[in-house]
Structures are given as C-alpha cells and as structure tokens.
Amino acid sequence: MSRFADFGNALHSGRTSYPFVDRAKRWLAIVGVLVLLSLLVPVAKGGFNLGIDFTGGSEFTVSAVADPDIETGQRAVADSSDAAEVEVTNIAPETVRVRTEQLDDDQTLAVKDALVEAYGVSEQEVTSNFVGPTWGAGVTSQALQGLVVFVVLATALMALYFRTWKMSVSAVAGMLASVAITAGIYSLVGFEVTPSAVIGFLTVLSYSLYDSVVVFDKVRENTEGLLDGTAPPELAGRKYSDQVNLAVNQTLVRSINTSVVGILPVGSILFIGWLVLGAGTLKDLSLSLFVGIIVGTAATLFVAAPLYALLRRGEPAVQEQEARAGASAERAAEESLAH
C-alpha cells in the first residue's frame, strides 16, 4: 500500500510522468482503430446476439418450485421441443423463467407439460406467453433518443462549465469511444444484448463522462493563468501541454481507485448473480457495467485528455505560451550550467 501511495505522490509531483499528451496522435490512432474494428465486428458476425426481448419468442414462468434447478428446465425443454435456444433463469427464490424461440401451439403445450412434470408443480403454476419484438424495438428507439439528448445536453453544459467547447467535445468523444468499444466486445464475445445490457451501456456513458470531468477540472486548475501571463513564476518554464499531461498523471491514481471501487461490487454482482443465482438480469446489467467501466477509464486517459491537448495545440495563444516556456526553460538551463 505504501508503494502505491509513493507512486501516487510521484505522479502528483511530476517526478514520475506518463506521456499521455506527448503521444496523443499515437493513442488516438490506436483508439480509432479499435473503434473501427468494434464497428466492423457486428457487421462481420451478422449483428449482435440479441435477447428474446428484441427478437421475440416464447416465455414460460414456473412458480412454487421446490428445487429451482436451471438444468432441470433446460432438459425439459430439450426433451419436449425442437427449440435451439433455451434460456432458463431464477427470477425469484421459488420461480423459474424459461425463454425459447417462438414455438407453435403444440410445442408450447408440450413444453408446459414437461415443465410441470420436471419441477413437480401443478398446471396452474406454469404460465406461458409470447414475447414480441416490438417491445425491444421500442426500448432501442427510446435508448437512442435518450443517448442523443444526453450527448447534446452534456456537451452544452460542459462547454458552459469549462468555458471552452473543446473540453466538452473531447469528453464526449471519449465517452462515445468507450461505448463503441464496449459494444464491439459484446459482439465479438457473443454476449447477449438485453434491455438490462442497454441500461448498463447508458450507465457507462455517465461514468466515462464523470471521469473526464474530474480530469478536465484538474487541467483547468493546472493551466490557469498560463495563456494570459498571470501564472505563478515557478510555472514560467512549463508548457501548456506539459500542464495538461501533469493533470492526467495527477488524477491517474484517482481514476484507478475509482475504477477498482466500481469494478469490485459489479464483479461481485456478476459472480453471484450469474454463476451462483443464475439471475439473467443481474448478469446482463453487471456484465455491461464491468466491461464499460474498464473501457471508460481507459478512454478518459487515452482519448479525452490527449484529444483536448491536440485541439488546443494549434491556437496562437497556446503556441506563443509554449514558445515562451521553451525559451524560459533554456535560459534556466543555461544559468544552471553557468553556476
């Protein structure tokens, strides 16, 4: 623990520094390739692995189950129908939900009877219904609308708060990159996309944005007065890009700690909900959060901050300040050698 604290102190003081800004073009190129691949993966694989809420299918609910074993339901469906896809989850202590592709009336009746026999319940305890894809399409449409509204409002509010649109654009770029890469991972691995996963994706947006705002707040603090010449004398030899990079390094430990604090409970929910309880909703939500938190933290470090520095690099005021800082640093070096 003391070593990690020393590491954090070294980053905060500038004794240790990682070139997030100096290699901005490299990081952005790498992330750009990852985003492009993330967009191509669903195309190559024929789309995402959509859940029943998006594709439609048959759903059975078995209540008052003494032993809600998942494999029992899977065997019952396999023995009584030709359903290729079967999803069995525990949605309550004594309740099991079984979802399959759309079945005809005869298959539905056969599966219902098989579940009654397999779980040892009465016919009244097993209900069946058809889940249409319309509901999932509505969720998708509302999610996309919410995404657009969220991005527009977030961009405007950050531009007002930081008094520069370049910070807000950089933060939103990092946020969108994290969502794209998370979606690409989902498609590549074949994780099922459900409404719960969509909710997780939207939560990742706010997490990534929060991390970027914290970093940019430190950037604003470190660069205050540099461009108008009112910065403290000890910063005379510090370039604008150096101060931006220092801010990223100073908040690096905080970003790591925040990610770990977020990942641990989400990972616990993922493990308990998925492997122990077999709860599909918990798995879908926690899985998207688990992947998204990791990707979102990386996006802040390798997209948002480097992109902001790159956008500011061409401004005359920044170029003049960096020229002054370079000259001041050279004079300081010459004076040091003279003494």
Side-chain angles (χ1 to χ4, degrees):
M1 184 63 70
S2 61
R3 290 185 178 180
F4 190 70
D6 293 339
F7 173 68
N9 291 332
L11 288 173
H12 196 273
S13 64
R15 297 194 309 272
T16 299
S17 179
Y18 294 99
F20 294 105
V21 171
D22 294 342
R23 299 177 182 176
K25 292 183 178 179
R26 177 186 299 181
W27 305 134
L28 293 175
I30 293 174
V31 173
V33 171
L34 291 176
V35 170
L36 180 61
L37 291 176
S38 298
L39 297 176
L40 292 177
V41 166
V43 177
K45 296 191 66 175
F48 292 93
N49 179 21
L50 300 177
I52 187 176
D53 296 294
F54 296 99
T55 60
S58 298
E59 180 180 84
F60 302 85
T61 302
V62 187
S63 305
V65 179
D67 181 16
D69 181 59
I70 292 178
E71 293 184 359
T72 300
Q74 293 174 337
R75 286 194 300 268
V77 175
D79 294 340
S80 58
S81 71
D82 298 328
E85 298 181 4
V86 181
E87 176 189 322
V88 183
T89 55
N90 295 324
I91 58 176
E94 297 181 350
T95 305
V96 175
R97 182 181 65 193
V98 179
R99 286 181 166 182
T100 69
E101 60 199 60
Q102 185 176 354
L103 304 176
D104 58 31
D105 293 341
D106 293 337
Q107 289 179 321
T108 299
L109 184 59
V111 170
K112 184 175 180 179
D113 292 339
L115 291 173
V116 168
E117 182 178 353
Y119 284 111
V121 297
S122 64
E123 292 185 2
Q124 289 74 21
E125 302 297 342
V126 181
T127 60
S128 62
N129 63 289
F130 171 70
V131 179
T134 305
W135 186 84
V139 171
T140 304
S141 176
Q142 292 175 2
L144 291 176
Q145 292 174 10
L147 174 61
V148 172
V149 172
F150 177 81
V151 169
V152 172
L153 291 178
T155 303
L157 288 175
M158 283 190 296
L160 292 173
Y161 177 72
F162 291 115
R163 294 189 292 277
T164 171
W165 61 268
K166 294 181 180 180
M167 274 190 177
S168 61
V169 168
S170 300
V172 170
M175 177 187 68
L176 295 179
S178 65
V179 173
I181 294 174
T182 302
I185 293 174
Y186 251 69
S187 178
L188 179 65
V189 180
F191 294 147
E192 187 178 49
V193 178
T194 65
S196 298
V198 173
I199 293 172
F201 286 142
L202 296 179
T203 306
V204 168
L205 296 181
S206 59
Y207 180 88
S208 176
L209 202 60
Y210 163 76
D211 203 38
S212 297
V213 167
V214 171
V215 173
F216 283 150
D217 205 44
K218 190 63 177 178
V219 169
R220 184 174 63 173
E221 177 185 332
N222 285 3
T223 58
E224 187 175 3
L226 282 181
L227 300 183
D228 58 12
T230 60
E234 59 268 20
L235 296 181
R238 297 285 298 179
K239 296 181 179 180
Y240 188 90
S241 57
D242 293 336
Q243 289 299 95
V244 174
N245 193 71
L246 177 62
V248 181
N249 280 274
Q250 287 176 329
T251 55
L252 178 59
V253 171
R254 188 215 63 86
S255 296
I256 295 174
N257 288 338
T258 303
S259 299
V260 171
V261 170
I263 288 173
L264 287 178
V266 170
S268 300
I269 294 173
L270 178 61
F271 175 78
I272 296 174
W274 185 6
L275 299 180
V276 178
L277 300 179
T281 302
L282 289 178
K283 178 201 71 174
D284 298 335
L285 179 60
S286 57
L287 187 59
S288 59
L289 288 175
F290 188 85
V291 176
I293 287 175
I294 297 174
V295 175
T297 302
T300 298
L301 300 175
F302 297 103
V303 178
L307 179 59
Y308 171 70
L310 203 61
L311 291 175
R312 297 296 304 264
R313 187 172 295 174
E315 295 181 10
V318 174
Q319 292 177 344
E320 291 175 6
Q321 188 279 330
E322 297 210 340
R324 291 196 307 268
S328 178
E330 289 180 3
R331 287 195 302 270
E334 291 174 356
E335 292 175 0
S336 177
L337 291 175
H339 293 293

